[in-house]
Amino acid sequence: LTGVPREHRAYQYLLAHAIPGDPRHVLQTFDRWCYHCEHLSCVGPIKGRIVERLLAEQAPLRVLELGTYCGYGTVLLAQGLLPGARLYTVEVNPQHAAVAEKVIRLAGFDEQTVELIVGPSEEVIPQLREKHGLLRADFVFMDHWKRCYLRDLRLLESHQLLAQGAIILADNVLFPGAPHFLQYAKTCGKYRCKVHRASLEY
């Protein structure tokens, strides 16, 4: 009714209530907005703990996120990086990317730590090595369109962008679901699969 997208409303709330440079407080403020004001399709705190645990176990130096949206997952990933590690995050929607850029910088991460790439994942992935300097990803977080999961995993494989032992973490594979991706990951013989059960965000 106001003509202001809810993603922008959420960012205005962050500006008013979050502590700049404190990524954990930025995420907590995001959570308060999503619980009490408007739902946003962020990974949220419950599934966020799974992301944090796997990130801590793996300690990756090169992380790729597909689906930045408002930057919640990006901040979640970036706060768990080791010194010198780098996060590449890809968002197809320019309006969402504009909000995410502000959220990421509000949380205190500069372009040396987090590079936001705007464009369709099927176009960005083949350019990651030459244009963005990503030789191989140790950790991939997929949280974009579910129908793109399998296509993009195969693109990462064909362009040899997955490091040996890389972790691919994909959100919402059961609901709304990415059945072809799940079947491929379980049957192609390249991956060991585990399903982490959690409630929907917020």
Side-chain angles (χ1 to χ4, degrees), residues 9-20 29 102 106:
R9 291 197 291 271
Y11 174 65
Q12 292 302 320
Y13 184 82
L14 285 182
L15 270 184
H17 297 93
I19 300 171
T29 308
K102 295 173 186 173
L106 178 68

mmCIF file of all heavy atoms in Angstrom, residues 9-20 29 102 106:
data_model
loop_
_atom_site.group_PDB
_atom_site.id
_atom_site.type_symbol
_atom_site.label_atom_id
_atom_site.label_comp_id
_atom_site.label_asym_id
_atom_site.label_seq_id
_atom_site.Cartn_x
_atom_site.Cartn_y
_atom_site.Cartn_z
ATOM 1 N N ARG A 9 11.472 -1.978 3.468
ATOM 2 C CA ARG A 9 10.940 -1.712 4.808
ATOM 3 C C ARG A 9 11.792 -2.422 5.865
ATOM 4 O O ARG A 9 12.070 -1.867 6.930
ATOM 5 C CB ARG A 9 9.476 -2.149 4.899
ATOM 6 C CG ARG A 9 8.522 -1.291 4.073
ATOM 7 C CD ARG A 9 7.072 -1.486 4.497
ATOM 8 N NE ARG A 9 6.555 -2.809 4.161
ATOM 9 C CZ ARG A 9 5.969 -3.108 2.991
ATOM 10 N NH1 ARG A 9 5.848 -2.190 2.034
ATOM 11 N NH2 ARG A 9 5.492 -4.319 2.768
ATOM 12 N N ALA A 10 12.184 -3.647 5.550
ATOM 13 C CA ALA A 10 13.046 -4.392 6.481
ATOM 14 C C ALA A 10 14.379 -3.686 6.667
ATOM 15 O O ALA A 10 14.892 -3.588 7.788
ATOM 16 C CB ALA A 10 13.265 -5.814 5.957
ATOM 17 N N TYR A 11 14.942 -3.168 5.574
ATOM 18 C CA TYR A 11 16.225 -2.470 5.679
ATOM 19 C C TYR A 11 16.094 -1.196 6.515
ATOM 20 O O TYR A 11 16.983 -0.878 7.317
ATOM 21 C CB TYR A 11 16.774 -2.137 4.291
ATOM 22 C CG TYR A 11 18.035 -1.296 4.360
ATOM 23 C CD1 TYR A 11 19.203 -1.822 4.913
ATOM 24 C CD2 TYR A 11 18.038 0.021 3.911
ATOM 25 C CE1 TYR A 11 20.349 -1.054 5.014
ATOM 26 C CE2 TYR A 11 19.183 0.791 4.010
ATOM 27 C CZ TYR A 11 20.333 0.256 4.556
ATOM 28 O OH TYR A 11 21.467 1.015 4.676
ATOM 29 N N GLN A 12 14.988 -0.465 6.349
ATOM 30 C CA GLN A 12 14.769 0.727 7.162
ATOM 31 C C GLN A 12 14.695 0.373 8.648
ATOM 32 O O GLN A 12 15.192 1.112 9.500
ATOM 33 C CB GLN A 12 13.481 1.439 6.713
ATOM 34 C CG GLN A 12 13.558 2.069 5.334
ATOM 35 C CD GLN A 12 14.681 3.101 5.222
ATOM 36 O OE1 GLN A 12 14.920 3.879 6.140
ATOM 37 N NE2 GLN A 12 15.370 3.102 4.086
ATOM 38 N N TYR A 13 14.098 -0.775 8.943
ATOM 39 C CA TYR A 13 14.036 -1.258 10.327
ATOM 40 C C TYR A 13 15.447 -1.575 10.841
ATOM 41 O O TYR A 13 15.794 -1.240 11.984
ATOM 42 C CB TYR A 13 13.138 -2.492 10.402
ATOM 43 C CG TYR A 13 12.930 -3.033 11.794
ATOM 44 C CD1 TYR A 13 11.982 -2.471 12.647
ATOM 45 C CD2 TYR A 13 13.670 -4.118 12.253
ATOM 46 C CE1 TYR A 13 11.781 -2.971 13.926
ATOM 47 C CE2 TYR A 13 13.481 -4.628 13.526
ATOM 48 C CZ TYR A 13 12.544 -4.050 14.358
ATOM 49 O OH TYR A 13 12.360 -4.540 15.624
ATOM 50 N N LEU A 14 16.254 -2.210 9.994
ATOM 51 C CA LEU A 14 17.642 -2.501 10.371
ATOM 52 C C LEU A 14 18.403 -1.214 10.663
ATOM 53 O O LEU A 14 19.138 -1.125 11.659
ATOM 54 C CB LEU A 14 18.356 -3.257 9.243
ATOM 55 C CG LEU A 14 18.019 -4.729 9.029
ATOM 56 C CD1 LEU A 14 18.867 -5.293 7.899
ATOM 57 C CD2 LEU A 14 18.215 -5.542 10.287
ATOM 58 N N LEU A 15 18.244 -0.234 9.791
ATOM 59 C CA LEU A 15 18.931 1.051 9.981
ATOM 60 C C LEU A 15 18.576 1.677 11.321
ATOM 61 O O LEU A 15 19.423 2.275 11.992
ATOM 62 C CB LEU A 15 18.564 2.013 8.848
ATOM 63 C CG LEU A 15 19.430 2.010 7.591
ATOM 64 C CD1 LEU A 15 18.949 3.098 6.640
ATOM 65 C CD2 LEU A 15 20.911 2.203 7.916
ATOM 66 N N ALA A 16 17.324 1.539 11.713
ATOM 67 C CA ALA A 16 16.850 2.175 12.940
ATOM 68 C C ALA A 16 17.237 1.399 14.192
ATOM 69 O O ALA A 16 17.394 1.996 15.261
ATOM 70 C CB ALA A 16 15.329 2.332 12.886
ATOM 71 N N HIS A 17 17.428 0.069 14.073
ATOM 72 C CA HIS A 17 17.566 -0.750 15.284
ATOM 73 C C HIS A 17 18.850 -1.578 15.374
ATOM 74 O O HIS A 17 19.215 -2.002 16.471
ATOM 75 C CB HIS A 17 16.359 -1.689 15.410
ATOM 76 C CG HIS A 17 15.057 -0.980 15.573
ATOM 77 N ND1 HIS A 17 14.247 -0.670 14.498
ATOM 78 C CD2 HIS A 17 14.423 -0.493 16.672
ATOM 79 C CE1 HIS A 17 13.167 -0.045 14.931
ATOM 80 N NE2 HIS A 17 13.251 0.082 16.250
ATOM 81 N N ALA A 18 19.500 -1.863 14.250
ATOM 82 C CA ALA A 18 20.685 -2.734 14.295
ATOM 83 C C ALA A 18 21.939 -1.931 14.613
ATOM 84 O O ALA A 18 22.048 -0.753 14.280
ATOM 85 C CB ALA A 18 20.855 -3.457 12.959
ATOM 86 N N ILE A 19 22.888 -2.586 15.263
ATOM 87 C CA ILE A 19 24.175 -1.965 15.576
ATOM 88 C C ILE A 19 25.081 -2.116 14.362
ATOM 89 O O ILE A 19 25.423 -3.242 13.981
ATOM 90 C CB ILE A 19 24.823 -2.628 16.804
ATOM 91 C CG1 ILE A 19 23.918 -2.488 18.025
ATOM 92 C CG2 ILE A 19 26.202 -2.012 17.079
ATOM 93 C CD1 ILE A 19 24.374 -3.307 19.223
ATOM 94 N N PRO A 20 25.489 -1.022 13.724
ATOM 95 C CA PRO A 20 26.370 -1.118 12.547
ATOM 96 C C PRO A 20 27.685 -1.820 12.902
ATOM 97 O O PRO A 20 28.251 -1.597 13.980
ATOM 98 C CB PRO A 20 26.617 0.349 12.174
ATOM 99 C CG PRO A 20 25.458 1.098 12.757
ATOM 100 C CD PRO A 20 25.117 0.374 14.026
ATOM 101 N N THR A 29 18.243 -8.555 14.550
ATOM 102 C CA THR A 29 17.273 -7.504 14.222
ATOM 103 C C THR A 29 16.415 -7.931 13.035
ATOM 104 O O THR A 29 15.196 -7.711 13.010
ATOM 105 C CB THR A 29 18.002 -6.181 13.918
ATOM 106 O OG1 THR A 29 18.895 -5.874 14.988
ATOM 107 C CG2 THR A 29 17.016 -5.035 13.751
ATOM 108 N N LYS A 102 23.504 -2.965 0.873
ATOM 109 C CA LYS A 102 23.450 -2.085 2.040
ATOM 110 C C LYS A 102 23.495 -2.890 3.336
ATOM 111 O O LYS A 102 24.147 -2.481 4.310
ATOM 112 C CB LYS A 102 22.180 -1.233 1.989
ATOM 113 C CG LYS A 102 22.136 -0.258 0.821
ATOM 114 C CD LYS A 102 20.773 0.419 0.755
ATOM 115 C CE LYS A 102 20.650 1.293 -0.483
ATOM 116 N NZ LYS A 102 19.286 1.818 -0.649
ATOM 117 N N LEU A 106 26.318 -2.647 6.090
ATOM 118 C CA LEU A 106 25.877 -2.280 7.433
ATOM 119 C C LEU A 106 26.441 -3.253 8.468
ATOM 120 O O LEU A 106 26.819 -2.850 9.576
ATOM 121 C CB LEU A 106 24.348 -2.268 7.503
ATOM 122 C CG LEU A 106 23.715 -1.939 8.865
ATOM 123 C CD1 LEU A 106 23.979 -0.483 9.248
ATOM 124 C CD2 LEU A 106 22.209 -2.206 8.852
#
